Amino acid sequence: MEEPEIQEPTFVNARKRSCDGCTACCEGWLTAEVHGKYMYSGRMCHFKGKGQCTIYDQRPGLCSAFRCEWLANNDIPEWLKPDLSHTIMYRRMIGEIEYINVMETGVKIDSTILNWIVLHALQNGLNIRYMVNGGWNFIGSTEFLAAITE
Ligand code: SF4
Ligand code: SF4
């Protein structure tokens, strides 16, 4: 009897996420200089229009390269999209140590969101710096805790 042919498994790419109306990273929760104009806490980007960037094709590399953790990582639940959760997660470095910054966007972080993020960090061995009601908290390796709190 002829051996059945073994089929190669087919892998389908996970759906690529898009910002799709979210402008949380342009609203002044992060700090940046864009074409000589400063964005910082309480001051949104000078170039942010209603629901979109007014200089999208001329936006600087720091904008086009920015991927919040929700956008970059499909393991982050849909409901953690920044415009839904009022929380932005993004990767940063302190020296050689990577961590995830979890920033409230004007609303105290919801306890369900906070629990999910803390569990996610513990299960995956991530370093996180997370904001609760405007104050910073930290979870991570000894090296990270020493570096971030010095
Ligand atoms: S916060 Fe994330 S999803 Fe929202 S606009 Fe910025 S990169 Fe896109
Ligand atoms: S230039 Fe555009 S993409 Fe960059 S922060 Fe400003 S509004 Fe956002």
Side-chain angles (χ1 to χ4, degrees):
M1 187 178 152
E2 204 174 309
E3 287 285 320
E5 190 181 336
I6 298 171
Q7 298 280 323
E8 287 291 326
T10 305
F11 295 99
V12 177
N13 282 337
R15 186 177 71 80
K16 195 165 180 289
R17 286 177 164 170
S18 83
C19 299
D20 193 21
C22 177
T23 55
C25 54
C26 311
E27 294 171 359
W29 310 112
L30 315 184
T31 54
E33 182 199 336
V34 180
H35 296 320
K37 308 280 187 186
Y38 290 90
M39 170 173 80
Y40 50 84
S41 182
R43 187 180 188 92
M44 67 172 57
C45 177
H46 177 80
F47 300 103
K48 182 188 164 302
K50 196 173 178 189
Q52 61 183 357
C53 175
T54 58
I55 56 161
Y56 191 77
D57 291 336
Q58 287 82 43
R59 71 198 191 288
L62 68 94
C63 298
S64 52
F66 182 79
R67 299 271 182 280
C68 75
E69 194 63 8
W70 178 88
L71 186 63
N73 182 354
N74 278 4
D75 291 340
I76 307 296
E78 285 288 338
W79 48 265
L80 259 169
K81 191 179 180 200
D83 59 343
L84 302 176
S85 64
H86 307 290
T87 305
I88 307 179
M89 301 167 65
Y90 55 100
R91 292 192 181 243
R92 295 185 76 182
M93 300 294 292
I94 181 161
E96 300 287 303
I97 306 170
E98 186 178 63
Y99 67 99
I100 295 180
N101 214 42
V102 182
M103 174 83 82
E104 295 170 337
T105 61
V107 177
K108 184 182 175 188
I109 194 166
D110 179 87
S111 58
T112 306
I113 292 170
L114 181 58
N115 286 345
W116 189 92
I117 291 171
V118 168
L119 202 58
H120 176 71
L122 292 173
Q123 286 174 340
N124 293 286
L126 302 173
N127 300 313
I128 60 169
R129 174 180 185 251
Y130 62 100
M131 186 183 272
V132 178
N133 209 17
W136 287 110
N137 305 269
F138 313 96
I139 294 176
S141 67
T142 310
E143 294 76 15
F144 167 67
L145 296 176
I148 201 87
T149 56
E150 80 177 8

